[in-house]
């Protein structure tokens, strides 16, 4: 029986469409258990019913490994760069010319299926022909050559380009847009906007005397969540609480930190427990807002990720976010959804907050990564009253909007959000099956679209699994204490999911 299966699912064998959609998790697990009885023998292939491969002209077929990673050339280059800067975080060096679609090629000629995509920031894969074409279009050249100080001397086509790109995907209720360069500077300036707005709003309400605030530099705060990540600049870092290494030795601000729900997965199976946990956290949020007001440091804004990403892919329900938004409103705080990592389509909707099902999701939504540059959308009320209050030299990069325009065209033309939903289901279903098959190694599979994660039994196992999987040709990332996160590009299809699952199964089967 096993040899037949091995033959059927070995590379090159004819593959049938995977017909199991993502049903109730319990049904899934029952299915998985039955399904996996055939798979307990170590070394057997993960039984994937692969979808027909959509042959993409520009992509490779499969990983191809020549050396362990990092290979000798990467190691040599790391030594060279180490003479110039700290290289403690460098994994390996890349050959971006040779990389295509979902496959990243390294300096030693190893070709890996990339499920990490430059920390979740590659929207449509490497060297996409549409982006290559945009670079060679003579009409675009001046945008690549001349980088303007957008706050004072924007190019004449800037309003038109913003309308065509960023505003065409503006979140519901967001009429205004501020461009920036990276995720941290987007959040940093979004926080400033909330402070400026809050000051105006409290003055308008004549509450200022109650708060005994000094004029000019008020003692305001931003409420953030334990496990959240909003960047590494000083203001953002005060709201980042994911890893010690980010914050060590850096002074911080006395701002409130609320607990983020620690949910049990699959969410559907633990609805009652999870809703109790969320209620506990919301109660704490309200207490903290009151406490900080009494301390003379009122909360001007609440910042939250729709899925806590760096902190370990921690999810919360739509109900939680809607109630949180209402608590913020009730206490006169602005509500900021940080979509730097979740935005741009990976959850199967363009913005993760669209899953909340409300047309008034937030006052501010910040973005970067898959959007290729940074910025934030906001409501009319958060518009600062004067120039130079929200400002820096570049304030974004119009050449990135040219690429974004192509990215948005491809997302629409190729229905990539539907593709993400489809390949995400295949990925998550496979993860459910693997955690059933290897319960001593894996647990807590979770995800939305391809924005998925699974936990290893401890951090050492997680790190080992990442390295072993990489040596077999799949690049993954870690997050939180012991999670593996999946962040493929939007061009990741079902057959890529099965390719990964097969390789990961081999790694797990060999794992001691
Ligand atoms: C949710 C979130 N916010 C902000 C940031 C910071 O973005 P950047 O690294 O571009 O400064 C990140 C980066 O990973 C992020 O995931």
């Amino acid at each position: 029986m096993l040899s037949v299966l091995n033959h059927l699912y070995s590379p090159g064998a004819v593959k049938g469409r995977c017909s199991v959609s993502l049903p109730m998790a319990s049904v899934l697990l029952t299915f998985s258990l039955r399904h996996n009885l055939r798979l307990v023998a170590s070394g057997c292939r993960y039984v994937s019913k692969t979808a027909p491969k959509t042959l993409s002209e520009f992509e490779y077929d499969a990983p191809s490994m020549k050396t362990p990673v990092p290979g000798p050339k990467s190691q040599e280059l790391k030594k060279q760069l180490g003479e110039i800067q700290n290289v403690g975080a460098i994994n390996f060096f890349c050959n971006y010319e040779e990389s295509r679609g979902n496959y990243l090629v390294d300096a030693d000629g190893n070709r890996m299926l990339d499920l990490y995509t430059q920390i979740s920031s590659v929207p449509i894969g490497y060297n996409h022909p549409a982006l290559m074409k945009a670079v060679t279009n003579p009409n675009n050249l001046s945008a690549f050559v001349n980088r303007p100080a957008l706050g004072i001397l924007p190019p004449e086509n800037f309003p038109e380009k913003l309308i065509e790109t960023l505003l065409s995907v503006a979140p519901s209720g967001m009429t205004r847009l501020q461009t920036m360069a990276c995720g941290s500077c987007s959040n940093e300036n979004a926080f400033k906007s909330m402070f400026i707005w809050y000051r105006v709003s409290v003055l308008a309400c004549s509450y200022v005397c109650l708060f005994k605030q000094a004029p000019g530099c008020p003692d305001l705060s931003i409420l953030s969540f334990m496990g959240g990540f909003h960047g590494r600049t000083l203001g953002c870092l005060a709201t980042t609480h994911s890893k010690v290494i980010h914050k060590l030795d850096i002074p911080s601000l006395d701002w409130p930190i609320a607990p983020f729900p620690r949910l049990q997965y699959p969410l559907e199976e633990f609805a009652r427990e999870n809703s109790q946990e969320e209620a506990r956290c919301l109660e704490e949020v309200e207490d903290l807002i009151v406490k900080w007001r009494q301390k003379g440091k009122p909360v001007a804004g609440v910042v939250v990720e729709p899925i806590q990403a760096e902190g370990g892919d921690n999810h919360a329900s739509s109900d939680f976010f809607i109630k949180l938004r209402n608590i913020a409103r009730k206490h006169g705080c602005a509500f900021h959804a940080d979509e730097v990592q979740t935005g741009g389509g990976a959850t199967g909707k363009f913005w993760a907050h669209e899953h909340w099902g409300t047309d008034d999701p937030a006052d501010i939504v910040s973005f970067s990564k898959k959007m290729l540059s940074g910025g934030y959308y906001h409501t009319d009320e958060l518009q600062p009253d004067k120039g130079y209050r929200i400002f820096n030299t570049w304030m974004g990069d119009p050449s990135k909007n040219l690429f974004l325009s192509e990215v948005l065209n491809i997302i629409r033309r190729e229905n990539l959000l539907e593709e993400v939903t489809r390949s995400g289901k295949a990925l998550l279903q496979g993860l459910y099956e693997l955690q059933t098959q290897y319960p001593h190694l894996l647990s807590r599979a979770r995800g939305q679209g391809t924005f998925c994660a699974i936990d290893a039994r401890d951090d050492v196992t997680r790190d080992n699994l990442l390295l072993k999987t990489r040596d077999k040709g799949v690049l993954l990332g870690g997050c939180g204490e012991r999670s593996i996160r999946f962040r493929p590009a939007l061009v990741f299809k079902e057959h890529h999911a099965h390719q990964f699952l097969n390789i990961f199964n081999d790694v797990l089967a060999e794992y001691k």
Side-chain angles (χ1 to χ4, degrees):
M1 177 66 167
L2 272 176
S3 64
V4 173
L5 285 171
N6 281 336
H7 169 71
L8 262 179
Y9 296 102
S10 63
V14 179
K15 294 162 182 172
R17 176 176 276 279
C18 174
S19 58
V20 183
S21 62
L22 189 70
M24 296 269 297
S26 56
V27 177
L28 236 175
L29 283 172
T30 317
F31 168 81
S32 300
L33 280 169
R34 264 192 275 124
H35 183 68
N36 285 312
L37 285 176
R38 295 174 294 172
L39 293 169
V40 287
S42 113
C44 71
R45 304 291 286 176
Y46 167 86
V47 178
S48 63
K49 303 184 193 69
T50 311
K53 183 165 158 183
T54 331
L55 272 177
S56 178
E57 291 153 22
F58 70 103
E59 189 166 73
Y60 299 109
D61 268 353
S64 158
M65 301 305 286
K66 296 184 163 60
T67 71
V69 181
K73 192 158 175 207
S74 265
Q75 290 181 34
E76 185 51 40
L77 288 166
K78 190 165 170 176
K79 215 185 287 168
Q80 207 180 324
L81 189 62
E83 304 289 324
I84 304 167
Q85 55 181 232
N86 184 291
V87 289
I90 287 186
N91 293 213
F92 55 86
F93 285 75
C94 302
N95 180 339
Y96 289 107
E97 288 79 12
E98 292 300 320
S99 302
R100 303 264 182 285
N102 290 279
Y103 296 90
L104 176 65
V105 176
D106 77 0
D108 290 276
N110 296 303
R111 184 202 303 153
M112 287 161 265
L113 178 66
D114 189 356
L115 276 78
Y116 194 39
T117 62
Q118 315 290 328
I119 324 181
S120 197
S121 68
V122 179
I124 54 172
Y126 296 102
N127 289 312
H128 195 288
L131 302 187
M132 301 302 266
K133 204 167 150 200
V135 179
T136 53
N137 180 343
N139 297 331
N140 292 342
L141 282 185
S142 83
F144 293 120
V145 173
N146 306 293
R147 187 171 185 182
L150 280 173
I152 52 171
L153 298 166
E156 57 187 332
N157 66 359
F158 194 49
E160 174 199 326
K161 288 288 173 199
L162 288 186
I163 291 166
E164 182 187 310
T165 57
L166 287 166
L167 281 173
S168 76
V169 289
S172 169
M174 308 269 146
T175 46
R176 307 196 71 93
L177 164 70
Q178 181 59 65
T179 55
M180 283 289 157
C182 69
S184 296
C185 79
S186 305
N187 285 340
E188 197 78 37
N189 284 286
F191 293 175
K192 280 176 64 184
S193 294
M194 294 197 283
F195 290 137
I196 293 167
W197 162 82
Y198 187 85
R199 201 70 189 124
V200 170
S201 71
V202 288
L203 281 172
C205 299
S206 315
Y207 287 162
V208 68
C209 54
L210 295 180
F211 299 135
K212 298 195 189 88
Q213 289 161 324
C217 190
D219 214 352
L220 299 176
S221 60
I222 303 278
L223 181 141
S224 53
F225 287 88
M226 211 55 216
F229 184 96
H230 302 289
R232 297 154 189 267
T233 50
L234 283 176
C236 292
L237 198 58
T239 61
T240 284
H241 319 287
S242 47
K243 282 202 191 101
V244 171
I245 188 75
H246 300 153
K247 293 177 77 94
L248 197 64
D249 296 332
I250 317 285
S252 198
L253 295 156
D254 179 23
W255 289 357
I257 309 163
F260 192 79
R262 187 79 187 143
L263 301 188
Q264 298 180 62
Y265 302 92
L267 296 174
E268 303 83 350
E269 285 190 10
F270 296 97
R272 196 175 48 84
E273 294 88 339
N274 288 343
S275 113
Q276 280 169 2
E277 167 67 354
E278 291 186 340
R280 177 187 75 82
C281 296
L282 289 170
E283 208 178 301
E284 185 79 9
V285 167
E286 212 158 353
D287 284 353
L288 286 168
I289 293 175
V290 171
K291 219 181 264 171
W292 252 254
R293 189 191 299 147
Q294 286 163 352
K295 263 170 84 156
K297 300 176 185 221
V299 175
V302 171
V303 64
V304 71
E305 295 159 86
I307 301 169
Q308 277 192 341
E310 303 294 315
D313 273 35
N314 304 316
H315 292 246
S317 70
S318 303
D319 186 56
F320 172 80
F321 288 107
I322 290 168
K323 285 182 175 151
L324 182 63
R325 204 252 186 284
N326 286 338
I327 289 173
R329 201 187 338 247
K330 173 177 153 195
H331 290 276
C333 319
F335 186 68
H336 172 180
D338 177 353
E339 292 247 25
V340 166
Q341 191 151 164
T342 49
T347 67
K349 296 206 185 274
F350 199 87
W351 302 109
H353 70 249
E354 289 173 47
H355 291 283
W356 304 345
T358 165
D359 55 10
D360 179 27
D363 300 298
I364 292 202
V365 172
S366 56
F367 59 85
S368 188
K369 295 202 187 256
K370 284 192 176 54
M371 304 299 282
L372 301 176
S373 189
Y376 54 96
Y377 301 93
H378 59 89
T379 54
D380 284 349
E381 294 78 49
L382 272 103
Q383 178 69 25
D385 54 343
K386 294 181 186 66
Y388 291 110
R389 299 195 81 181
I390 299 293
F391 192 84
N392 61 42
T393 304
W394 284 327
M395 301 183 87
D397 180 349
S399 71
K400 298 295 180 198
N401 279 348
L402 298 175
F403 291 131
L404 182 63
S405 172
E406 298 302 328
V407 167
L408 295 176
N409 283 341
I410 297 284
I411 290 176
R412 289 175 184 129
R413 203 166 62 220
E414 298 182 8
N415 292 321
L416 288 188
L417 298 185
E418 282 170 32
E419 289 284 346
V420 163
T421 306
R422 195 173 308 130
S423 54
K425 276 180 184 170
L427 176 60
L428 188 55
Q429 186 192 318
L431 292 175
Y432 280 137
E433 292 175 15
L434 289 175
Q435 79 180 10
T436 307
Q437 196 178 340
Y438 302 100
H440 57 298
L441 291 176
L442 299 175
S443 62
R444 300 178 84 233
R446 55 205 182 272
Q448 216 164 36
T450 54
F451 202 105
C452 293
I454 195 162
D455 281 9
R457 69 176 166 219
D458 52 42
D459 55 343
V460 175
T461 306
R462 187 269 310 273
D463 295 346
N464 272 329
L465 287 175
L466 292 180
L467 295 181
K468 284 179 190 297
T469 310
R470 188 171 75 183
D471 278 345
K472 285 192 185 292
V474 178
L475 188 55
L476 298 167
C479 64
E481 278 169 26
R482 56 192 177 99
S483 304
I484 295 170
R485 64 174 143 171
F486 303 90
R487 299 290 188 273
L490 307 176
V491 290
F492 180 83
K493 312 280 185 198
E494 275 182 282
H495 72 267
H496 296 114
H498 291 288
Q499 200 169 72
F500 155 69
L501 291 164
N502 276 327
I503 291 170
F504 198 40
N505 182 64
D506 286 350
V507 171
L508 293 164
E510 285 168 12
Y511 200 83
K512 301 280 173 262

